[in-house]
Amino acid sequence: MSRIVIGVMGPGATATVADCDAARNLGYRIAQAGWVLLTGGRAEGVMHAASQGAKAAGGLTIGILPDAPGAGKQGISEAIDIAIFTDMGSARNNINVLSSDVVVVCGMGAGTASEAALALKAGKPIVLLNTDINSQKFFTHLSQERTFIAEDVAGAIALIQIILRTV
Amino acid sequence: MSRIVIGVMGPGATATVADCDAARNLGYRIAQAGWVLLTGGRAEGVMHAASQGAKAAGGLTIGILPDAPGAGKQGISEAIDIAIFTDMGSARNNINVLSSDVVVVCGMGAGTASEAALALKAGKPIVLLNTDINSQKFFTHLSQERTFIAEDVAGAIALIQIILRTV
Amino acid sequence: MSRIVIGVMGPGATATVADCDAARNLGYRIAQAGWVLLTGGRAEGVMHAASQGAKAAGGLTIGILPDAPGAGKQGISEAIDIAIFTDMGSARNNINVLSSDVVVVCGMGAGTASEAALALKAGKPIVLLNTDINSQKFFTHLSQERTFIAEDVAGAIALIQIILRTV
Amino acid sequence: MSRIVIGVMGPGATATVADCDAARNLGYRIAQAGWVLLTGGRAEGVMHAASQGAKAAGGLTIGILPDAPGAGKQGISEAIDIAIFTDMGSARNNINVLSSDVVVVCGMGAGTASEAALALKAGKPIVLLNTDINSQKFFTHLSQERTFIAEDVAGAIALIQIILRTV
C-alpha cells in the first residue's frame, strides 16, 4: 500500500524568512510523523527549506520539478531523494496537489495560490500557514469545508492528523 | 502571424445566471473586435455562454478541453469551432492562460481561481469581471500591475483594448 | 459543431527536403479540402512546411507549441493562425494526436515516432508518408487496423477521405 | 543528492507471461542494486510485476499514474510505495522517461513504444528486453548510440551498470 504523502507548497525565490523557517520546521515534523514529504523540488524558498527539514529528521523527500533534467535554473534541492522531472512548468502544480493526501500552503504568491486553488478544485484539503487575512478569506470562501487555518507549525501538524483520520 | 486570442475563464456547472449573461455578451464583443475566443470548451457555464456569444457575432472559437475525445461528461459546446483535447484535467488550465493574450475572469470558483493565479504566475494580465471584493483584493495583492477590475462588459472590452496596446 | 482537424507530424530540424516538400503539398491539399491543419507550430521542418502549404491555399492553421510564449528556440511559424502554448515539451505530443481526427506522419524521428505511437495508443488512425520499410513494419505490427501507408501525397489525401467516412 | 532511478516500461493489460516474468526478475535485481524503481504504477502487466519484484527485495517503488486519485480503472499496484497522480493519461509517459536515469523497455505495445521514443527524444538511454527484431531495428535506427539490446534480465542489469558509469 502506498505511503501517506504530505505536500508543502509555498513561494520559491520570493519566500520570506518566516516562510522558510516555518517550512523547515514543518518538514522536520512531517518526517518525524513518518509521512513522505512532497514539494516542488527546487533549491529555493519553501520547497528547499521543507525538504531540508525533512532530511534532518531522516525522512523521505519527493520533488516534482517543473523542469527537464539538467535544465532547472536554480537546480534541484540537494535535500530531494526522488526527483520527478515533468518539463511542464506550472502545469505540474496540479500533479503536486493530486499526489498529496493533505496540502500545506506556507506563505503566498501567484504559483502558491494556483496550487491552493487546484487542490480545492480536486477536492483536496488545504492547511493555510503563514498567510494573510485576505488569503484566508479568499480560500475559505472557495471551500469552507476543505480550507483549514493553522496558527503555527504545531497547529498545522495537529490539523493534518485530524484530516488524515477523516479521509 | 498568429491572431490575437482572448481567453474567457469562469465557473462551469456552478456559474450564476449573471456570470453567463456577462460571458455571452463578452464573447459577442470579443468576436466583433476581430479577436479569437479561447475557453475551456465544455457545454456548460461561462465557457459555453462566451462561445455562443462569439458564434452569434460570427467569431472563431477555440476550446481547450480537459477531457479525452469522446470522454467529456457534459460534452463539447456546440459553439466551439476547434476542439483541443488535452486529457489532462485541470492541468490544462495552464495552457488556457499561456495561449491567451489577455485572460478575462468572469465569475469565481476553485478552477477559475487557479486560472487567474496561473495567469499572474506566467506574467499574463487578467481582467476581473463579476467577482466579489474578496477576490479583487486577493488577486490585486498578488499582482497590482497585472490585475484589472472591470465594472461591466463594456469596461472589460475597453481594458482589453488598453492592455493590447501596451503588450 | 467543431471542424474536422487533420494533424501533420514529422521531424523539425532533422526533416529532409523530401519530407518538407511532401508536407507543403499535403498542407495545401488539406486546406483545399476544407479541413483545419494542426501541427507542432514551430518554424522548422515538417510543421513549418505543412503550415505554409495550408496558408497558400487559404486554410486555417493551429500550432500546438511545446514552448511557453516567447520562449521558443526557433520561434513560431509565421504560417500559424492560432498558437496554443503548452510549455510542456514533448508531453504536448499527446495533445497533438488527441486533437486530430486523422494523424499524418510525414518522415520519421524520435519525436515523430512518439506521436505515431501515442496516436495508436489513443485509438487514432495514422497515415504514414515518406517513411522507410522498418517504420512501416513496426507501426503496422502495433496496429494493423489503424496504420495506413500512403505512396504519395495524393494517396494520403485519399486515405484521409476514406478514414473520415468510417469514423 | 537525489537517488538513481531506473524506469521499467512495458505493456499493461496486454503483457505476456514472459514480459511479466522478466519484469518481476528485473524489479528484484534493480532493488538489490540499491536503485529506485519507477513504473506507470497500475496493478497490471509489466509495471505491476516489476514493482512486486522490487518490493520482494525490499526496494523503493515509485508509480507515475495516468489517473486522478481514486479514478484508476485497475487501481494502483499494492507494490507501489509512492503514488504520483498525474491525471494526464498518456502524456505522463514523458514524465516517466524524464525521471529515469535509464529506461528499460520490457515487451512492446503502442504505449510502450511511445515511452521508448520519448526517451530517445529526451536523450535518455533505453535498454530493450523481450522485444522482437522489428522493434530492435526500429529503435536502433532512431538512435544507434542510445538504444541497447539485452538478451535477458542479467544482461539488462549489466547494461544499466555500464550506462550509469558513463552518464
Side-chain angles (χ1 to χ4, degrees):
Chain A
M1 243 200 41
S2 63
R3 294 180 59 184
I4 289 171
V5 175
I6 306 299
V8 176
M9 316 284 145
T14 61
T16 65
V17 172
D19 292 341
C20 291
D21 284 350
R24 194 172 292 105
N25 189 356
L26 190 63
Y28 190 90
R29 293 188 187 209
I30 285 170
Q32 272 190 322
W35 303 321
V36 175
L37 175 71
L38 184 151
T39 70
R42 279 190 174 170
E44 55 177 13
V46 162
M47 42 195 161
H48 189 40
S51 303
Q52 287 177 318
K55 289 315 294 176
L60 182 66
T61 55
I62 313 287
I64 311 285
L65 289 137
D67 315 294
K73 274 172 259 174
Q74 294 85 8
I76 315 166
S77 169
E78 91 288 338
I80 289 295
D81 292 315
I82 314 287
I84 304 296
F85 294 98
T86 67
D87 193 20
M88 51 192 280
S90 297
R92 75 81 153 83
N93 293 1
N94 200 43
I95 301 177
N96 293 2
V97 302
L98 293 177
S99 304
S100 300
D101 292 292
V102 180
V103 174
V104 185
V105 171
C106 179
M108 189 50 65
T112 307
S114 77
E115 286 167 318
L118 288 165
L120 294 179
K121 175 72 178 174
K124 292 280 180 182
I126 62 173
V127 174
L128 301 182
L129 179 68
N130 245 34
T131 57
D132 66 324
I133 184 72
N134 265 353
S135 303
Q136 293 170 11
K137 273 190 192 167
F138 179 71
F139 288 107
T140 301
H141 189 72
L142 285 183
S143 173
Q144 209 167 324
E145 314 84 60
R146 288 194 292 275
T147 302
F148 299 84
I149 296 168
E151 298 274 316
D152 51 22
V153 171
I157 294 291
L159 282 167
I160 296 171
Q161 281 165 332
I162 291 167
I163 294 166
L164 288 176
R165 248 174 265 140
T166 63
V167 286
Chain B
M1 243 199 43
S2 63
R3 294 180 59 187
I4 290 172
V5 175
I6 306 299
V8 176
M9 316 283 146
T14 61
T16 65
V17 172
D19 292 342
C20 291
D21 285 349
R24 194 172 292 106
N25 190 354
L26 190 63
Y28 190 90
R29 292 185 188 214
I30 285 169
Q32 271 191 322
W35 303 320
V36 175
L37 176 71
L38 185 151
T39 70
R42 280 190 173 170
E44 56 177 13
V46 162
M47 44 196 160
H48 189 39
S51 302
Q52 287 178 317
K55 287 316 292 175
L60 181 66
T61 55
I62 312 287
I64 311 286
L65 290 138
D67 316 293
K73 275 172 258 172
Q74 294 83 9
I76 314 167
S77 169
E78 90 289 339
I80 288 295
D81 292 315
I82 313 287
I84 304 296
F85 294 98
T86 66
D87 193 20
M88 50 192 281
S90 296
R92 75 82 152 80
N93 293 1
N94 199 44
I95 300 177
N96 293 2
V97 302
L98 293 177
S99 304
S100 301
D101 292 292
V102 180
V103 173
V104 184
V105 171
C106 179
M108 189 50 66
T112 306
S114 77
E115 285 167 319
L118 287 166
L120 294 179
K121 175 71 178 174
K124 292 279 180 184
I126 62 173
V127 175
L128 301 182
L129 179 67
N130 245 33
T131 56
D132 65 323
I133 185 71
N134 264 355
S135 303
Q136 293 170 12
K137 273 190 193 166
F138 180 70
F139 289 107
T140 301
H141 189 71
L142 285 184
S143 172
Q144 209 167 325
E145 314 85 59
R146 287 195 292 274
T147 302
F148 300 84
I149 297 168
E151 297 275 316
D152 51 22
V153 172
I157 294 291
L159 282 167
I160 295 171
Q161 281 165 333
I162 291 167
I163 294 166
L164 289 177
R165 248 175 264 140
T166 61
V167 286
Chain C
M1 244 201 40
S2 64
R3 294 180 59 186
I4 290 172
V5 175
I6 306 299
V8 175
M9 316 284 148
T14 61
T16 64
V17 172
D19 291 342
C20 292
D21 285 350
R24 195 171 294 108
N25 190 355
L26 190 63
Y28 190 90
R29 293 186 187 212
I30 284 170
Q32 272 191 323
W35 303 320
V36 175
L37 176 71
L38 184 151
T39 69
R42 280 190 173 169
E44 57 177 12
V46 162
M47 43 196 161
H48 189 40
S51 302
Q52 287 177 317
K55 289 314 294 176
L60 182 67
T61 55
I62 313 287
I64 311 286
L65 290 138
D67 315 294
K73 274 172 259 172
Q74 294 82 10
I76 315 167
S77 169
E78 90 288 338
I80 289 295
D81 292 315
I82 314 286
I84 304 296
F85 293 98
T86 66
D87 192 21
M88 51 193 279
S90 297
R92 75 83 153 81
N93 293 1
N94 199 44
I95 300 177
N96 293 3
V97 302
L98 293 178
S99 304
S100 301
D101 292 292
V102 180
V103 173
V104 184
V105 171
C106 179
M108 189 51 65
T112 306
S114 77
E115 285 168 319
L118 288 166
L120 295 179
K121 176 71 180 173
K124 292 279 180 183
I126 62 173
V127 174
L128 301 182
L129 179 66
N130 246 31
T131 57
D132 66 324
I133 185 73
N134 264 354
S135 303
Q136 294 171 11
K137 273 189 193 167
F138 180 71
F139 290 107
T140 302
H141 190 70
L142 285 183
S143 172
Q144 211 168 323
E145 313 85 60
R146 287 194 293 274
T147 302
F148 299 84
I149 296 168
E151 297 275 314
D152 51 23
V153 171
I157 294 291
L159 282 167
I160 295 171
Q161 281 165 332
I162 291 166
I163 294 166
L164 289 176
R165 248 175 264 139
T166 62
V167 286
Chain D
M1 243 200 37
S2 63
R3 294 180 58 186
I4 290 171
V5 175
I6 306 299
V8 175
M9 316 285 148
T14 61
T16 64
V17 172
D19 292 342
C20 291
D21 285 350
R24 194 172 292 105
N25 189 355
L26 190 62
Y28 190 90
R29 292 185 187 213
I30 284 170
Q32 273 191 322
W35 303 320
V36 175
L37 176 72
L38 184 151
T39 70
R42 280 190 172 170
E44 56 178 12
V46 162
M47 42 195 161
H48 189 39
S51 302
Q52 288 178 317
K55 288 315 294 175
L60 181 66
T61 55
I62 313 287
I64 311 286
L65 289 138
D67 315 294
K73 273 172 259 174
Q74 294 82 9
I76 315 167
S77 169
E78 90 288 339
I80 289 296
D81 292 315
I82 314 286
I84 304 295
F85 294 98
T86 66
D87 193 19
M88 50 192 282
S90 296
R92 75 83 153 81
N93 293 1
N94 199 45
I95 300 177
N96 292 4
V97 302
L98 293 178
S99 304
S100 301
D101 293 292
V102 180
V103 174
V104 184
V105 170
C106 180
M108 189 51 64
T112 307
S114 76
E115 285 167 320
L118 288 165
L120 295 179
K121 176 70 178 172
K124 292 280 180 183
I126 62 173
V127 175
L128 301 181
L129 180 66
N130 245 33
T131 57
D132 66 324
I133 184 72
N134 264 354
S135 303
Q136 293 170 12
K137 272 190 193 167
F138 179 71
F139 288 106
T140 302
H141 190 70
L142 285 183
S143 173
Q144 210 167 324
E145 314 84 62
R146 288 195 292 275
T147 302
F148 299 84
I149 296 168
E151 298 275 315
D152 52 22
V153 171
I157 294 292
L159 282 167
I160 295 170
Q161 281 165 331
I162 291 167
I163 294 166
L164 289 176
R165 249 175 265 140
T166 62
V167 286

